[in-house]
Amino acid sequence: MAHADPTDCPYYLMTRASLAATSELKRALAAADLAVVRPAYLGVLFCLAKEDGQRVVDLGRGAGLEPSTMTGLLDRMERDELIERRPDEEDRRALRIFLTERSRQALPQIAEARDSLLAKLLAGVSPVELIAARRTLAAVLENASRD
């Protein structure tokens, strides 16, 4: 049986694009002396930049991450001194997550690295194509999260 050209396969293109973008972002963060900031941290960092002190469940929802993923991710981010966990004053069983001073100071550089990368990756993509791509990727994510 002959194999189809993988570049005709949407799955191949989505995964390769994601891997390539992640690799480029790692390089950009390292070049900005932010190697401690992993691409996987960005969703959490930017959610906290918008609203610091979120409960873990709300932060996970905002960052689009499963609860099982959040624990390990937050462990690594705390180890890297980018977030701190504090008890929730209203619910002693819950924790709230806060940015550290280190991450607050790094956010502008992180955003700059992200924005520069996006400009590079999206060069030649028209606004109409970008809107269509966002809609398509949002639909893919929604379909993937269905039970």
Side-chain angles (χ1 to χ4, degrees):
M1 175 176 168
H3 294 286
D5 181 355
T7 60
D8 287 337
C9 176
Y11 177 80
Y12 172 84
L13 293 171
M14 285 186 294
T15 56
R16 292 299 305 151
S18 177
L19 290 170
T22 299
S23 180
E24 287 289 319
L25 184 56
K26 283 180 187 175
R27 279 194 279 281
L29 291 168
D33 201 27
L34 294 168
V36 69
V37 178
R38 293 173 171 80
Y41 297 174
L42 268 61
V44 169
L45 290 171
F46 287 120
C47 283
L48 289 173
K50 186 175 179 182
E51 181 186 343
D52 206 11
Q54 294 184 51
R55 289 184 179 182
V56 174
V57 66
D58 298 324
L59 181 57
R61 194 175 304 117
L65 299 170
E66 296 294 322
S68 58
T69 304
M70 284 298 293
T71 302
L73 184 69
L74 293 176
D75 286 346
R76 290 186 296 279
M77 292 180 75
E78 188 172 43
R79 177 201 64 209
D80 293 336
E81 300 176 356
L82 297 171
I83 57 108
E84 63 179 337
R85 294 172 166 118
R86 296 183 200 159
D88 186 330
E89 294 178 6
E90 297 170 12
D91 180 354
R92 295 176 60 189
R93 297 166 296 169
L95 291 172
R96 292 197 177 262
I97 310 301
F98 292 85
L99 294 171
T100 62
E101 187 59 31
R102 178 183 195 180
S103 57
R104 268 191 222 79
Q105 289 181 1
L107 278 169
Q109 292 172 285
I110 296 167
E112 184 180 324
R114 177 206 55 201
D115 294 347
S116 294
L117 174 63
L118 284 173
K120 175 185 173 184
L121 297 177
L122 297 172
V125 177
S126 74
V128 171
E129 291 170 319
L130 183 55
I131 289 168
R134 283 184 181 142
R135 285 185 185 142
T136 300
L137 291 171
V140 169
L141 283 172
E142 185 177 321
N143 291 338
S145 65
R146 287 188 184 148
D147 291 340

